[in-house]
Amino acid sequence: MTENASQQPPAPTTELPTQYAPADVEGPLYERWVERGYFEADAKSDKPPYTVVIPPPNVTGSLHLGHAFEHTLIDALTRRKRMQGHETLWQPGMDHAGIATQNVVERELAKEGKSRHDLGREAFVERVWQWKAESGGQISGQMRRLGDGVAWSRERFTMDEGLSQAVQTIFKRLYDDELIYRAERIINWCPRCLTAISDIEVEYQDDDGELVSMRYGDGDDSIVVATTRAETMLGDTAVAVHPDDDRYRHLVGTLVKLPLTDRSIPVVADEHVDPEFGTGAVKVTPAHDPNDFEIGQRHGLPSLTIMDEHAVITAHGPFQGLDRLEARSAIVAALRAEGRIVAEKRPYVHSVGHCSRCKTTIEPRLSMQWWVKVGPLAKAAGDAVRDGRVKIHPQEMEKRYFDWVDNLHDWCISRQLWWGHRIPVWYGPDGEVVCVGPDEQPPSGEGWRQDTDVLDTWFSSGLWPFSTLGWPERTESLAKFYPNSVLVTGYDILFFWVARMMMFGLYAMDGTPPFHTIALHGMVRDQFGKKMSKSFGNAVNPLDWMDKYGSDALRFTLARGANPGVDVPIGEDWVQGSRNFANKLWNATRFALMNGATVEGPLPEPSAMSSTDRWILSRLNSVVAEVDAYYDDYQFAKLSDTLFHFAWDEVFDWYVELSKTVFQAGGEPAKVSQRVLGEVLDVTLKLLHPVVPFVTETLWTTLTGGESIVIADWPADSGFRDAAAEREISSLQSVITEVRRFRADQGLQPGQRVPARLTLDGTSLAPHETAIRQLLRLQPEGDSFTATATLPVAGAEVALDLSGTIDVAAERKRLAKDLAAAEKEKAQATAKLGNEAFLAKAPDQVVDKIRTRLAKAEEDITRIQSQLEKLPPA
């Protein structure tokens, strides 16, 4: 806590404005929380720790719905734990985002007619830092808008001095342990960004291309191969077939002439080849395809690089100097002229990888890079889940995790960029290679130079759970807050960021995993389940919805859709519905305050309470237990839905309505209900606070006079249950619901009064007669009362006199017409479903639609017949 936390809060008021205006409340309220230090974490505290790191957003980024969704879930977890008495740290920070950030600054330079090479490396890096200071970190302000309760004083950046020291330290240790090495391998190469990129930075999409089948060799010794990248044939060094394929057994070990060149290449047998696909023969280009590279390694084939870093052909001959796509067309034309083209298929739709930053088609490329030997690290990451030290939630995601870590390839960690952590390796004039740790002096003198590459962004973000706490120093924060309690992240980066944190955490922290639980969530999609993107025209700026409906409304909508590991659909109508819920909460609290609801003093003894009071307290404690269980199981949708229906259906629609007659009557029962209503709202607001923090803070401080709901105690289940009261109120609800439904069916207006006789003797409903009459607009029976409709329900009987309210003959005529239409619909649907010829031909969706029509018709018939039976004679 800061010194401000000890200051006295402003005197509470028992009045609320007539309407809730989120825009007037949220900003000042958040700043007050931050000023008072509520979100800070004290490493010296003796409270149990609860730690969550923010998945660091890119410094170039802005808040999108995916961020808002994830941050809502994390904020809910940490706010609850804070209220439960934990020393809670939600660690904020941002990722330097190597490629993305460099691209942004390079685009700015291009507007000035310059490139990074015009500035030179040092000046360019300085320009990036300048951009970061002026324009980076936009997302921080947006996180405040959302209400993120992060420890801002601990905010970190992956290029901070401390985190840079952590990066250099672990690189040196891995290098010394021979877990980092330099080798020539196939990587994903972006010809536009001019760097290797990680698998997660490759986006695959279906593109229109061409599939060309071409004949190598002549006569009986010829062989046909197919490719979508004809230009790579210039780098072919073999043709591969399956060892058991009888069609080509006679060719294995022979040479075949490679068209358009003066080379002959061998035919090799390799089990990687699928004999059922295409012709069963594949061209092998080891320098430009990862699978071909592996075949080349197994058979000792040479690797011929035929393109430069710009994807321009470098192979000698007529195609030299052409762009890869230009060369593709030219090579196909040349092969066609020689009669080598056997078949062409275009368009041929196939999955093609693109750079996620610039959308350029990536090029597999043989390149000298730095690699992490992941074998032992990945085994440790798998073992930590298998032996239970780390739980994956939902558990069914474990299989995907094991499929990944158990088959992980070595990780390419070098990037041909200037912005990032530069690889701490120096090369000497005589071939020396020296890796330098953070406390060591790099070699100097003539001929020494540092590696020009930087590290993959995932390398530094993989250290995030402990580098942000001061590692490699053994700080108080590291001792207190490591390992993290839970990691909340999307299932889409389970294999990338999560796996790297697991590997590095176990390695650096002596076998202690970086978190106890990995809670995986899905992706946010539009209301029709479609992926959100600008190109689809369905992308939403969450700030727009927050401006329109308030941050709480957006948060509550996202939380109500958050089932573990499942994608989350969201539409504006749903956010508007959540805004209506916040308004309902506001109006109910205003009603409570105007009617004397209080949290002062202990709750009255159950014997002093009415059955309505005991019912709502019994339900309240059940909800506390349910919400706790859902939180512990990361069931955000279920806990939010439980709170929505309890607050709206039970508290607002029933308890508040039933209390009105008590408050109007006054006396001791009113005082009891005032205290019970205060208790119910106090606890309900606390339960809702982690998900909807702003409106609950405003209402709770007004209701209770407390300093802040942020630091209030989380509710505990007192154990109070009253099954008899729950049964009694359930019967009361049945009576009111059934009579309301009957009134609506008869076309009565909600406010229209109807004479009624209530027979409640011998039931638990007798004490509720006044409430029943008020809620149902039932006036006492008069001397001329005639029971024209009698409704038996819940052991009671409600007799209504409708003679002066409806035209019975006209109503019977209307219902008879509706019944005839429903019976006709049923007959038509039944006939179609009984027609075997129709069922055999009709699509499943058509049959399902007819079954739905039949069910609806049967339901209508039952309802209309019931209404006719309840009508008095005409």
Side-chain angles (χ1 to χ4, degrees):
M1 294 285 175
T2 65
E3 291 182 0
N4 287 332
S6 63
Q7 295 176 357
Q8 290 298 314
T13 174
T14 56
E15 295 184 0
L16 288 168
T18 55
Q19 290 185 320
Y20 178 48
D24 297 338
V25 171
E26 294 175 350
L29 201 53
Y30 186 84
E31 291 310 313
R32 192 182 314 150
W33 291 334
V34 173
E35 288 168 6
R36 292 180 177 179
Y38 294 154
F39 305 139
E40 296 302 326
D42 183 3
K44 293 182 170 61
S45 167
D46 58 2
K47 296 178 183 178
Y50 187 80
T51 315
V52 185
V53 294
I54 192 171
N58 287 352
V59 68
T60 59
S62 60
L63 192 74
H64 57 64
L65 271 178
H67 288 126
F69 173 54
E70 186 168 81
H71 290 200
T72 294
L73 305 187
I74 301 174
D75 197 39
L77 291 173
T78 52
R79 283 179 182 270
R80 172 176 176 254
K81 285 295 181 180
R82 189 178 292 111
M83 295 172 76
Q84 287 182 318
H86 288 72
E87 193 62 36
T88 302
L89 169 61
W90 183 8
Q91 173 65 54
M94 285 182 289
D95 191 282
H96 66 278
I99 295 177
T101 306
Q102 180 158 318
N103 279 349
V104 167
V105 179
E106 284 197 89
R107 282 196 295 269
E108 286 195 352
L109 286 174
K111 294 175 185 176
E112 303 169 15
K114 298 178 183 177
S115 73
R116 60 183 163 117
H117 300 284
D118 295 324
L119 271 66
R121 185 166 192 144
E122 289 187 15
F124 176 78
V125 170
E126 182 59 36
R127 178 71 176 259
V128 179
W129 278 109
Q130 180 184 339
W131 174 88
K132 192 254 180 187
E134 295 172 357
S135 307
Q138 176 187 0
I139 203 167
S140 296
Q142 296 167 337
M143 288 166 58
R144 292 171 182 264
R145 282 288 312 278
L146 191 65
D148 287 2
V150 300
W152 286 112
S153 69
R154 292 173 172 265
E155 187 175 13
R156 305 306 299 270
F157 180 55
T158 48
M159 290 284 286
D160 283 350
E161 182 178 347
L163 271 66
S164 295
Q165 182 184 17
V167 168
Q168 195 171 351
T169 298
I170 202 162
F171 187 99
K172 171 70 172 173
R173 292 187 185 179
L174 289 165
Y175 181 87
D176 289 346
D177 287 344
E178 298 183 348
L179 293 173
I180 281 182
Y181 64 94
R182 192 167 183 245
E184 197 173 41
R185 298 276 180 84
I186 293 283
I187 45 87
N188 301 310
W189 180 264
C190 175
R192 158 60 184 81
C193 298
L194 298 180
T195 181
I197 59 176
S198 64
D199 291 337
I200 199 172
E201 291 163 325
V202 178
E203 292 180 348
Y204 287 91
Q205 66 185 49
D206 287 341
D207 286 357
D208 285 345
E210 60 179 349
L211 182 67
V212 179
S213 298
M214 44 197 182
R215 184 181 304 279
Y216 290 5
D218 297 295
D220 293 339
D221 294 335
S222 67
I223 194 165
V224 174
V225 298
T227 183
T228 58
R229 300 162 67 217
E231 70 279 8
T232 62
M233 59 86 60
L234 299 176
D236 286 0
T237 56
V239 173
V241 297
H242 194 275
D244 298 331
D245 194 332
D246 290 336
R247 292 172 297 174
Y248 304 116
R249 195 181 300 276
H250 68 289
L251 291 177
V252 174
T254 67
L255 296 176
V256 63
K257 182 75 168 58
L258 181 65
L260 308 183
T261 73
D262 58 0
R263 293 190 292 117
S264 293
I265 56 177
V267 177
V268 299
D270 194 281
E271 292 187 352
H272 169 77
V273 179
D274 179 2
E276 302 299 322
F277 183 76
T279 65
V282 297
K283 57 192 286 300
V284 181
T285 319
H288 294 278
D289 183 275
N291 293 321
D292 292 3
F293 178 79
E294 298 295 334
I295 294 175
Q297 292 290 295
R298 287 192 287 271
H299 296 276
L301 302 174
S303 297
L304 302 182
T305 299
I306 53 100
M307 285 184 226
D308 66 13
E309 63 270 23
H310 297 279
V312 171
I313 302 297
T314 57
H316 292 299
F319 311 107
Q320 188 174 7
L322 294 180
D323 171 80
R324 57 181 165 167
L325 299 181
E326 296 172 334
R328 182 175 302 169
S329 299
I331 286 171
V332 170
L335 290 169
R336 191 183 298 114
E338 288 192 4
R340 294 286 175 183
I341 299 297
V342 175
E344 296 179 73
K345 184 178 181 181
R346 64 169 69 87
Y348 177 74
V349 179
H350 61 133
S351 181
V352 178
H354 297 260
C355 173
S356 62
R357 306 300 176 191
C358 68
K359 310 309 176 187
T360 303
T361 301
I362 64 107
E363 189 65 42
R365 174 179 169 82
L366 186 61
S367 179
M368 181 66 74
Q369 302 284 346
W370 284 94
W371 304 80
V372 172
K373 183 180 179 182
V374 299
L377 303 174
K379 181 181 184 304
D383 290 346
V385 174
R386 286 190 169 95
D387 63 26
R389 281 175 291 158
V390 178
K391 305 288 187 186
I392 293 180
H393 191 279
Q395 190 174 1
E396 53 264 28
M397 288 285 183
E398 281 188 4
K399 182 180 184 302
R400 296 177 66 180
Y401 176 79
F402 292 135
D403 286 346
W404 179 259
V405 297
D406 292 348
N407 299 285
L408 203 55
H409 296 119
D410 286 358
W411 169 22
C412 175
I413 55 172
S414 46
R415 299 290 180 266
Q416 291 65 55
L417 303 171
W418 286 358
W419 172 244
H421 297 99
R422 195 164 173 181
I423 289 177
V425 171
W426 272 254
Y427 304 106
D430 298 320
E432 303 95 330
V433 179
V434 176
C435 181
V436 177
D439 300 321
E440 300 171 349
Q441 285 293 115
S444 58
E446 187 176 349
W448 283 93
R449 59 182 178 84
Q450 185 178 358
D451 196 298
T452 57
D453 288 352
V454 300
L455 288 164
D456 178 12
T457 297
W458 296 100
F459 192 95
S460 51
S461 59
L463 315 181
W464 194 245
F466 52 93
S467 64
T468 51
L469 298 173
W471 186 92
E473 302 300 324
R474 295 287 172 174
T475 63
E476 285 183 321
S477 290
L478 189 65
K480 177 75 174 179
F481 296 113
Y482 186 91
N484 287 195
S485 306
V486 61
L487 173 75
V488 180
T489 193
Y491 63 70
D492 58 324
I493 56 173
L494 171 65
F495 317 128
F496 303 102
W497 187 46
V498 178
R500 281 147 175 71
M501 285 190 290
M502 286 285 283
M503 291 190 296
F504 281 165
L506 290 160
Y507 174 78
M509 297 300 294
D510 304 319
T512 302
F515 18 74
H516 297 301
T517 300
I518 301 168
L520 299 170
H521 60 73
M523 304 295 103
V524 178
R525 297 181 178 272
D526 72 11
Q527 59 190 317
F528 306 108
K530 191 174 182 180
K531 179 181 177 181
M532 284 191 172
S533 93
K534 292 179 181 178
S535 60
F536 294 154
N538 63 351
V540 174
N541 182 346
L543 294 176
D544 293 341
W545 282 352
M546 287 192 280
D547 288 341
K548 195 170 182 180
Y549 304 110
S551 299
D552 285 333
L554 176 63
R555 290 171 60 117
F556 196 60
T557 305
L558 290 166
R560 284 192 77 185
N563 291 297
V566 178
D567 288 345
V568 182
I570 185 172
E572 185 169 0
D573 288 350
W574 306 342
V575 185
Q576 186 174 354
S578 295
R579 190 271 312 274
N580 295 343
F581 175 66
N583 289 342
K584 186 83 169 178
L585 194 63
W586 184 271
N587 292 333
T589 307
R590 282 190 76 244
F591 167 85
L593 291 168
M594 289 188 291
N595 285 276
T598 180
V599 296
E600 295 297 324
L603 280 170
E605 291 296 320
S607 58
M609 298 179 190
S610 68
S611 56
T612 309
D613 293 329
R614 296 195 306 275
W615 160 71
I616 198 63
L617 288 176
S618 180
R619 287 293 304 125
L620 179 68
N621 280 286
S622 294
V623 168
V624 170
E626 288 174 36
V627 169
D628 275 332
Y630 287 141
Y631 260 116
D632 292 340
D633 199 34
Y634 305 100
Q635 297 279 359
F636 296 98
K638 289 182 179 179
L639 73 89
S640 299
D641 217 45
T642 296
L643 287 170
F644 173 85
H645 287 294
F646 173 69
W648 193 303
D649 300 346
E650 298 185 74
V651 179
F652 307 155
D653 282 358
W654 286 107
Y655 184 69
V656 166
E657 290 301 314
L658 291 170
S659 298
K660 287 179 179 178
T661 57
V662 180
F663 293 145
Q664 289 168 2
E668 193 59 32
K671 292 181 180 178
V672 172
S673 291
Q674 285 169 342
R675 180 64 187 90
V676 171
L677 180 54
E679 181 74 11
V680 170
L681 284 175
D682 175 24
V683 173
T684 302
L685 291 169
K686 288 176 179 175
L687 292 174
L688 281 165
H689 172 71
V691 180
V692 284
F694 294 107
V695 68
T696 52
E697 169 81 333
T698 306
L699 296 177
W700 186 86
T701 52
T702 306
L703 173 71
T704 68
E707 179 183 340
S708 174
I709 198 171
V710 176
I711 54 173
D713 291 336
W714 182 254
D717 175 8
S718 71
F720 175 77
R721 301 288 192 280
D722 192 323
E726 291 196 36
R727 286 194 299 272
E728 180 177 324
I729 301 305
S730 178
S731 296
L732 175 62
Q733 291 170 331
S734 296
V735 169
I736 293 172
T737 301
E738 183 63 26
V739 176
R740 279 177 174 166
R741 183 182 296 115
F742 177 76
R743 287 176 56 110
D745 288 344
Q746 305 310 315
L748 296 176
Q749 296 299 314
Q752 189 172 353
R753 293 197 166 274
V754 178
R757 176 191 301 137
L758 304 185
T759 305
L760 307 176
D761 295 342
T763 74
S764 60
L765 298 175
H768 301 286
E769 179 167 353
T770 301
I772 291 172
R773 286 189 177 277
Q774 284 197 0
L775 291 173
L776 290 173
R777 306 293 191 270
L778 303 179
Q779 62 191 44
E781 57 193 280
D783 294 338
S784 61
F785 179 83
T786 302
T788 58
T790 302
L791 307 178
V793 57
E797 189 175 88
V798 179
L800 303 174
D801 184 353
L802 305 178
S803 57
T805 57
I806 62 172
D807 183 337
V808 177
E811 186 65 14
R812 280 190 173 277
K813 185 176 180 181
R814 183 185 69 83
L815 289 174
K817 182 179 179 182
D818 291 347
L819 181 61
E823 288 174 336
K824 180 179 180 182
E825 175 75 0
K826 177 183 176 181
Q828 289 175 342
T830 302
K832 284 190 176 182
L833 292 174
N835 186 333
E836 293 296 334
F838 170 78
L839 292 177
K841 295 179 181 178
D844 290 344
Q845 61 266 32
V846 172
V847 175
D848 289 343
K849 190 173 182 179
I850 294 172
R851 288 195 180 111
T852 302
R853 283 170 49 195
L854 175 61
K856 175 68 166 55
E858 290 173 337
E859 181 184 310
D860 288 344
I861 290 168
T862 301
R863 175 179 56 80
I864 296 167
Q865 288 174 338
S866 174
Q867 290 175 239
L868 284 166
E869 288 169 4
K870 291 173 183 175
L871 277 176

